[in-house]
Amino acid sequence: MTMPHIAEVSADWVLDSRGVPTVEATVVLSDGRRSFAQAPSGASTGVHESLERRDHQSPRFGGRGVEGAVCAVRDEINGALVGMDVTDQEALDEALVVLDATEDRSRLGANAMVAVSAACARAGSEARGVPLWRHLAGERPATLPLPMVNLFSGNLHARGGMTIQDILVVPFNAPDQATSLEWAEGIYRSARLLLEKRSASTLVGDEGGFGAPSASSAACLALACEAIVGADLRPGVDVGLALDVAATHMVQSDGSYVLDGTTMSSQDMVTTIARWLEDYPIVSVEDPLGEDDWDGWRLAATTFDARVQLVGDDLLCTHLDRLERAAAAGCANAVLIKANQIGTLSEALAVGDRARDLGMRSVVSARSGETEDDWLADLAIASGAGQIKVGSVARSERLAKYNRLLRVARGPDAPPWAGDNGFGAIFERAE
Ligand code: PGA
Ligand code: ZN
């Protein structure tokens, strides 16, 4: 059977979940089929991320238009990919990387590249007649991922409240995908009731979590535990907590941090978070220190219980060279994978593969700016990472991904459930 080849690659702008333009790429195959995909966009971005190309010189969309990225797709990328085999994702992604030829993807733009990469993947899966996750998985151990579900947000994701960016719930003892989301919904509902009882706001942040009800991160952690109990679940037995400290955004010009109004050294940050690990059932800590504070990260890694997941987001930026450095220096034991931090789906999957080889975990993550596109759910399943971070169980750009997971879990030949990722064992000492 001859596979259809790529007849045309095109793009245009659409609006994302914050009402900001983003790239939608379309791949037309020689048999006339069309597939599309949309690029996500971060707010709490790291300096080591690949570049999101925006029309800063143009007055349109307040300088945030993506016309330059769209033109790159229609012209150069179209020229490079036309005629290629749509089912060979690695070759297509490699062609994008070679065409861009910059370290930071600033020529084409990582937003142009990721939209095209995902649209090609979707077209390839449709041409083969297999689900997207299976098309992307290849030999990888595809699994249905344990979700980290946003409950409370502060800082850049909710513009106020506590300084840590997100407190998430991890329903690690759930027996399957559907139950994990049912528990998350119960906790979210229970948290809303707690907030209403306190006459606190129930407005939600960019990822659907409630705006932090207190300027004290510890108070929010305590409230998250109350919400778990209120949902008739057991903190540390059924459900754990995860933090995205996003400490890069707390760093001052002298290298110190400001956490909940207090100026701190790296050592103080580690001591404070280590205390939270004692006081609350935390299974995962993301970005407890800034994106260039390698010494601070090492201190965190040697201070925290090694069973607690220590995730590099801004530190690693889904870049292989930074992952290698972190592994060699013993700075993190897990990597957050965001495809637009690097540029293509194949590169993002390669980072997950390398993490597995290095004995590190990975978490496939959405961005705070998302769209109704759901390719991320398939990427997470295909990667075999076993964990996904998409936001809360509210806002349809989040639910698009969760509902896709549910459809895959309920479909024929569903991949196995990832299970607890070893998180249950962290609390055995406390029993
Ligand atoms: P971002 O946030 O998409 O705004 O970067 C997500 C995260 O920090 O994990
Ligand atoms: Zn993060």
Side-chain angles (χ1 to χ4, degrees), residues 42-44 157 165 207 244 286 313 336 338 367-368 389:
S44 105
H157 282 179
Q165 183 172 280
E207 297 188 344
D244 184 359
E286 179 179 328
D313 173 13
L336 201 75
K338 292 167 165 170
R367 301 308 303 246
S368 53
K389 186 179 130 176

Side-chain angles (χ1 to χ4, degrees), residues 151 182 184-194 210 393:
L151 193 62
E182 186 172 343
E185 186 280 335
I187 298 162
Y188 191 74
R189 186 157 34 91
S190 154
R192 184 190 288 117
L193 282 177
L194 283 175
F210 297 111
V393 285

